[in-house]
Structure formats: structure tokens, C-alpha cells
Amino acid sequence: MALSPAQVRLVDEQAHAARTMWNLLHEWWAMLPKERRSPAAADAAIRQARKEIDWLSVLPAQAAQAVLKTYFQAWKNCWAGRADEPNFKARCRMVMSVDVPQGRDLHITRVHRRWGMVGLPKIGRVRFRWTKDLPVGKRADADTRITGARLAKDALGWHIAFRLQTYEPAPEPHTGPEVGIDVGISVPLALSDGTTYDHREWLTEKERATLLRLEQKAARRKTYRRRGEKTSRRLRRTYDRIQELRARAKRRHLDWQHKTTTDIARKYSTVVVEALKITNTTRSAKGTVDSPGKKVAQKSGLNRSIHAEAWGRTVELLTYKTSRHGGTLVKVPAPGTSRRCSACGHTTPGSRESQALFVCKNPDCGWTGNADHNAGRNILHLYRMGLALIPAAGRAVARRARRVKPTTAR
């Protein structure tokens, strides 16, 4: 969004008011006895707080109701086992955001090909970049319409995302081939049919040099700050420029992931991936005082590279995109897929001679090929053998089905 300085201040105030509203609501919820907790009581408390506290009234009433709705949804997710308990939102760790739950308050108009105008409550008319087609004017109807929006802030500024309600027909079953995918670092995505998806550095050489210079400048300025002393404006500006470059790299990475996963979902009917536990993969190698770890610095660098590739986000994008195109995503057990020969099925020591070369040491086989391609073939073979893992919900249904005793019809 193209905001003026006055509008930036207004949106910042609304975001801080929304965060404070969440924290006050959480504290109110924790203090009340269980028998007095209810959405109606919470709604009354929010209305009273907006009347008595001036700086909470900068948040529109609909946005305050959205905070209440989100808070109760967080508890429902916790009770269903989908998430942890909601907690206080810290100013330094949260994403500043404001919700506009009603689409009729937006009044969207298109200025020209690149820009549009939107009306935000208590802020006014704001220009935004028109990056996707929106159902406004004659394109809007009862089936396809804008139901709301969400404002979010990152290091590059404030952005707006619109919520759409639309009806899409159920996709036809995908008739494409099956494929196994091995995720890695040197080769981000290696498919069982020999296809690879690679990317370059997210920042240019000039941007990487600028980032290094800014990080060195921040470290040097930080040494002059005394303990407990407030951060200087120069140091804050340096941190802001560092965050801007990192946010730009993250946005390019996300764009590559979206384009890559969309291409895979369109080509293949069944996508098979490993059921990786990334938290275990990126565990530190420091060890304990009695048994210290080895090659701690190398393991730390490997962990950073794994986090930078965002394997979990790639699987999450593939999950809903394969379903949207009529396909399915399946997970198989991960152990041994990189060390097992895809031709003979044997696991022999020393078969993976390097990061990119796999040479089977079985005297009766001797197959040679790309190591990532070999892992992708093993992943697909596990699925074809029927070793696909059942999701958590499916396991619960299966356990309940096993507990039911079969009956004989009379």
C-alpha cells in the first residue's frame, strides 16, 4: 500500500491497539472463573474497554470483534489438538496486523492497470498495487465477492490481502504420472523422473555485499552501547535496512516455491514426499558437559541451510495445490531413502560416494546414477509398495475401527 506518513501512524496505532486488545482479553480470560467465561461476557468487556480507554477506541469496532473471534478460534484449535494454548503477543515478536472483517466497508475502485483505491475504516482512501484480479463492479455477484481484508506489516511496509468468497467446481481426477520428490540443500527438489528444480541466490551480489556491510556496522555500533542503554536511532535504522534486505530475499524465495509447487501439481497426479521431522533434523550438536558434541560449527551451518530452504512450507504448498488440481500428496517413511539402491534395493556401506554420485556396492548390481535421483526413486517405490503413512486423523479412525467388534447378521 502507498500510505502517507499520517496514514502510516494511524495504521500503526490500530495494530498496537489490536495487539493490546488481545493481551487484555487473554488476561481477562485467565482471571475469570470457568463458569463466567462466555463470548457474550467477553464482548461486553471489549465494548466497555473501548469506551473507557481512549487509545483503544482508535481500533474500529469491527476490528475489535475480529480480535475476539480470532481469540476464541485459537482456543477451539487448542481444544481440538491442532495448536498450543493462546498466549500474550509480544511487541517485538508478533506481526503487526489489522483485520477488516466486512467487505462492504472497503469500497474498492480500480484507478488504472497497476493501482487501485480502497477505503479503510478510520484511515481513509488508500492506494494499493493491483497485483491480481478482484471481483469489483460488474465482476462481483452473489457467488464471487470480497468478504474482508487484512492489513499486515513487514520490513518492506504495509500490505493488504483481500478475502474472497467464490464457488469452484470439484476438480476432475488428475490423470498424470506419479512422482517421488527428494528435498535437499544443494539440489532443492529432485524428482524420481530425473527432473530437478534449482534456484539461484535470493540476493544479488551487490545486495549480499550491502547486507554484510550493514551487519558489520550493526555489530560495531552495538559494542558502543552500554548494558541497559536504549538503542540509538542509527542502530535502529541499520537494523531496519537489514530486515528490509532479508524480507526481500524471503519474498523471492516464497515466489519461487509457489511457482515450483504449482508446476508440479499441474504435471503429476500423485506426489510422494518423505515424512521428515525437521525439528529432529536441525537439532544442535553441542551435546552436554559430560559428552560434548563434535563438529558443532559445521552442524550449525547445516541447520541454517535446512531452515533457509523451508522444506515444511514446500510440503504445505504441495498439499493444497495437488488437491486443487485433482491429485494427492502422500508421505512415506524417510529412513534409508538416500542410502538404498533404487535398482536392487540393497543398502551397502559407502554407496553414496559424494553429494551427487551414488554407486551401488552390491557385486550383483553396480548401478550408478545421481544420488538425489536415486532417493526420489526410492521414495516413489515405497509408495508403490503400500508403505504410505496414515495421517493423525486417519490413525485415530483406524484405531476406533479396530476396537469395534465384528457382528454377525442373524
Side-chain angles (χ1 to χ4, degrees):
M1 293 190 296
L3 298 171
S4 65
Q7 290 175 335
V8 170
R9 180 178 57 83
L10 291 175
V11 181
D12 288 345
E13 290 178 354
Q14 289 190 9
H16 288 303
R19 178 186 62 86
T20 308
M21 186 76 71
W22 173 285
N23 292 338
L24 293 176
L25 184 61
H26 185 65
E27 188 175 2
W28 173 87
W29 179 272
M31 289 191 303
L32 279 185
K34 291 184 178 180
E35 59 273 9
R36 294 180 57 187
R37 298 173 181 173
S38 65
D43 182 41
I46 285 178
R47 293 176 183 271
Q48 183 180 359
R50 293 185 71 252
K51 291 179 181 179
E52 297 178 355
I53 305 175
D54 295 336
W55 50 271
L56 283 181
S57 62
V58 301
L59 186 68
Q62 294 82 4
Q65 294 298 320
V67 173
L68 175 63
K69 183 179 179 180
T70 306
Y71 182 76
F72 276 98
Q73 185 61 42
W75 275 112
K76 290 180 182 179
N77 294 337
C78 174
W79 295 331
R82 296 189 295 266
D84 296 332
E85 292 185 5
N87 206 341
F88 290 97
K89 290 188 176 182
R91 181 172 182 173
C92 59
R93 292 192 299 270
M94 67 159 291
V95 177
M96 297 180 63
S97 61
V98 181
D99 202 359
V100 184
Q102 296 181 355
R104 65 172 180 266
D105 297 334
L106 297 174
H107 305 291
I108 302 171
T109 57
R110 187 164 189 174
V111 179
H112 51 78
R113 185 172 63 89
R114 290 182 175 270
W115 290 92
M117 295 287 291
V118 60
L120 301 177
K122 294 191 175 184
I123 297 173
R125 301 290 290 175
V126 177
R127 289 201 314 159
F128 68 93
R129 284 296 300 270
W130 196 284
T131 56
K132 291 188 178 181
D133 291 333
L134 297 174
V136 296
K138 296 181 179 180
R139 295 187 177 184
D141 53 24
D143 295 337
T144 304
R145 58 191 179 90
I146 296 175
T147 60
R150 184 176 181 84
L151 313 180
K153 185 180 182 181
D154 62 4
L156 299 176
W158 279 98
H159 311 274
I160 183 168
F162 298 96
R163 288 191 295 270
L164 303 180
Q165 174 183 308
T166 183
Y167 292 94
E168 295 184 1
E172 296 292 335
H174 204 298
T175 58
E178 302 170 344
V179 70
I181 299 180
D182 177 62
V183 294
I185 297 174
S186 58
V187 179
L189 296 178
L191 277 57
S192 57
D193 58 0
T195 308
T196 58
Y197 290 91
D198 201 353
H199 59 76
R200 56 184 179 182
E201 294 288 341
W202 305 123
L203 295 176
T204 62
E205 184 176 356
K206 184 178 180 180
E207 289 173 339
R208 292 197 300 270
T210 303
L211 179 61
L212 178 60
R213 178 175 56 82
L214 291 173
E215 289 176 342
Q216 293 173 346
K217 184 185 294 185
R220 184 170 60 252
R221 287 177 176 173
K222 190 177 179 180
T223 58
Y224 292 99
R225 189 182 63 176
R226 298 178 182 177
R227 187 173 183 178
E229 187 179 359
K230 189 177 180 180
T231 305
S232 64
R233 293 183 180 180
R234 289 185 178 181
L235 184 56
R236 284 203 300 268
R237 284 197 296 267
T238 305
Y239 284 151
D240 291 341
R241 294 183 63 187
I242 293 174
Q243 291 178 358
E244 181 179 349
L245 286 173
R246 291 177 177 174
R248 191 178 303 170
K250 182 178 179 181
R251 182 172 298 180
R252 292 170 182 170
H253 187 191
L254 185 60
D255 178 71
W256 177 85
Q257 282 185 312
H258 272 289
K259 293 178 180 178
T260 302
T261 52
T262 300
D263 185 62
I264 293 174
R266 288 174 177 172
K267 289 182 179 179
Y268 303 99
S269 61
T270 303
V271 178
V272 190
V273 297
E274 297 173 296
L276 293 173
K277 294 183 179 180
I278 302 177
T279 54
N280 297 340
T281 306
T282 57
R283 188 171 296 173
S284 176
K286 289 183 178 180
T288 61
V289 177
D290 299 331
S291 57
K294 299 180 180 179
K295 298 183 178 180
V296 180
Q298 292 87 331
K299 185 62 170 64
S300 299
L302 177 63
N303 293 345
R304 287 193 296 270
S305 301
I306 293 174
H307 284 303
E309 289 298 329
W311 295 342
R313 189 168 61 195
T314 301
V315 175
E316 182 180 353
L317 296 177
L318 279 172
T319 302
Y320 82 85
K321 290 187 179 183
T322 51
S323 177
R324 179 179 295 177
H325 289 82
T328 56
L329 183 133
V330 184
K331 293 184 179 181
V332 296
T337 55
S338 298
R339 296 180 288 109
R340 187 185 305 115
C341 178
S342 60
C344 65
H346 286 79
T347 303
T348 53
S351 293
R352 187 159 184 171
E353 295 189 350
S354 64
Q355 181 65 29
L357 182 62
F358 185 92
V359 179
C360 182
K361 300 298 182 181
N362 185 9
D364 299 331
C365 179
W367 182 83
T368 303
N370 183 271
D372 300 312
H373 173 50
N374 174 75
R377 293 177 58 182
N378 284 327
I379 293 170
L380 181 59
H381 181 65
L382 291 177
Y383 164 71
R384 291 174 174 173
M385 289 178 61
L387 297 179
L389 298 179
I390 303 176
R395 288 197 296 268
V397 173
R399 286 195 297 268
R400 287 196 297 269
R402 286 195 297 268
R403 287 197 295 266
V404 176
K405 295 182 180 180
T407 58
T408 304
R410 295 182 180 180

